[in-house]
Amino acid sequence: MAFTIGGINQVALLEKSKLTGITYDATNKLDITGLTVASGATFQDIVFVKGSATLEQEQVKTATSHYITQKLKFSVLTEDNATSQAVLLGREYVALVRKNSGKWVLVGKDNGLACSVYTNNSTADDASRTYEMTADNLGDASNVTMTDAAILALINKG
């Protein structure tokens, strides 16, 4: 069973090791009500080509385990190369993803996401580069119910 979330309008990445705490709603233990990051750390906003970001989640069952494979895909223009190249150099990430509905989800919170596919779509200077980040995690991407102001305060827009 698989499903895809299109309509993503913002993606921000943080090295998983720099996510120091997650607070869950006391009633709905899947919703995230708070995130803390290491001192000086921020999620890095990825400026992607409009309409190129998707999140795919697929349940996988084997004889010994059950998990959800998460795939976050996006394309960036070479103007945002410095930030996007960091995706290749990092190890594991968590991603804050804002859907067009305005709702946020946290992807990769259990086992992180790592760049598994990178494609340079052209040799032109303005060509987009496509990244696919994948991981096997213990559940779906969790809803983040923090205020927009609190979430945006965790994201480096620079």
Side-chain angles (χ1 to χ4, degrees):
M1 168 184 274
F3 63 93
T4 299
I5 300 171
I8 293 173
N9 67 19
Q10 191 168 1
V11 172
L13 301 174
L14 175 75
E15 285 186 57
K16 187 175 183 321
S17 63
K18 294 182 180 180
L19 180 64
T20 57
I22 300 175
T23 306
Y24 294 93
D25 184 284
T27 305
N28 181 354
K29 301 197 183 296
L30 297 177
D31 286 349
I32 294 172
T33 59
L35 296 171
T36 54
V37 298
S39 179
T42 56
F43 282 82
Q44 298 298 306
D45 199 29
I46 301 295
V47 180
F48 58 86
V49 176
K50 185 177 181 178
S52 73
T54 60
L55 171 61
E56 297 175 9
Q57 300 185 99
E58 181 175 7
Q59 180 181 6
V60 178
K61 292 182 181 182
T62 68
T64 57
S65 66
H66 299 266
Y67 56 89
I68 293 182
T69 297
Q70 296 173 327
K71 293 180 185 176
L72 178 62
K73 300 177 185 180
F74 54 87
S75 296
V76 296
L77 298 178
T78 54
E79 289 85 29
D80 195 38
N81 233 7
T83 303
S84 65
Q85 287 294 328
V87 173
L88 291 175
L89 301 175
R91 294 188 179 176
E92 293 178 341
Y93 291 90
V94 291
L96 276 170
V97 175
R98 186 177 192 178
K99 301 185 278 185
N100 281 346
S101 66
K103 295 186 178 186
W104 291 88
V105 294
L106 184 68
V107 183
K109 67 179 177 59
D110 300 310
N111 297 323
L113 297 167
C115 187
S116 57
V117 176
Y118 163 73
T119 306
N120 188 353
N121 296 326
S122 168
T123 57
D125 287 340
D126 61 350
S128 62
R129 296 165 188 234
T130 301
Y131 297 84
E132 181 175 311
M133 303 182 74
T134 59
D136 296 335
N137 283 283
L138 301 178
D140 292 340
S142 295
N143 291 323
V144 180
T145 60
M146 299 164 56
T147 66
D148 276 355
I151 293 171
L152 294 174
L154 295 172
I155 297 174
N156 178 348
K157 299 291 234 169

